[in-house]
């Protein structure tokens, strides 16, 4: 599992935007697709809401990647 620490400068980032920001997908369309397919977990639970607000301390898992979000 590759761990990624991702810094955001806002209160939250939407899940689909996070996947693009972390360079795990090339487009928002691809992000939407993998989220709706149930391939993304937020804090250990499958999440199919692409607009889910991801905040500091949340952990997003996509296949072999684990992204931890923190604020500057």
């Amino acid at each position: 599992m590759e761990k990624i620490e991702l810094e955001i400068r806002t209160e939250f980032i939407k899940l689909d935007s996070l996947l693009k920001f972390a360079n795990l997908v090339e487009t928002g369309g691809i992000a939407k697709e993998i989220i709706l397919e149930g391939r993304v977990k937020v804090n250990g639970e499958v999440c199919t809401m692409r607009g889910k607000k991801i905040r500091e301390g949340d952990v997003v898992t996509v296949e072999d990647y684990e992204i931890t979000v923190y604020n500057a």
Side-chain angles (χ1 to χ4, degrees), residues 13-25:
I13 185 170
K14 291 185 179 178
L15 182 56
D16 57 352
S17 298
L18 175 81
L19 298 182
K20 287 191 327 189
F21 190 52
N23 293 318
L24 296 182
V25 296

Side-chain angles (χ1 to χ4, degrees), residues 1-68:
M1 175 89 46
E2 184 175 336
K3 295 184 185 265
I4 301 168
E5 289 191 359
L6 196 64
E7 177 185 349
I8 61 172
R9 297 181 184 267
T10 55
E11 181 184 347
F12 64 86
I13 185 170
K14 291 185 179 178
L15 182 56
D16 57 352
S17 298
L18 175 81
L19 298 182
K20 287 191 327 189
F21 190 52
N23 293 318
L24 296 182
V25 296
E26 291 183 18
T27 67
I30 295 171
K32 177 183 173 184
E33 191 175 300
I34 68 168
I35 292 167
L36 291 176
E37 289 173 355
R39 294 164 50 192
V40 178
K41 291 183 179 179
V42 177
N43 299 325
E45 308 244 339
V46 172
C47 181
T48 56
M49 299 182 305
R50 65 185 180 142
K52 168 93 173 148
K53 293 177 180 177
I54 306 301
R55 301 176 190 277
E56 182 173 25
D58 285 340
V59 177
V60 176
T61 308
V62 184
E63 295 168 0
D64 292 333
Y65 297 93
E66 181 179 279
I67 306 162
T68 302

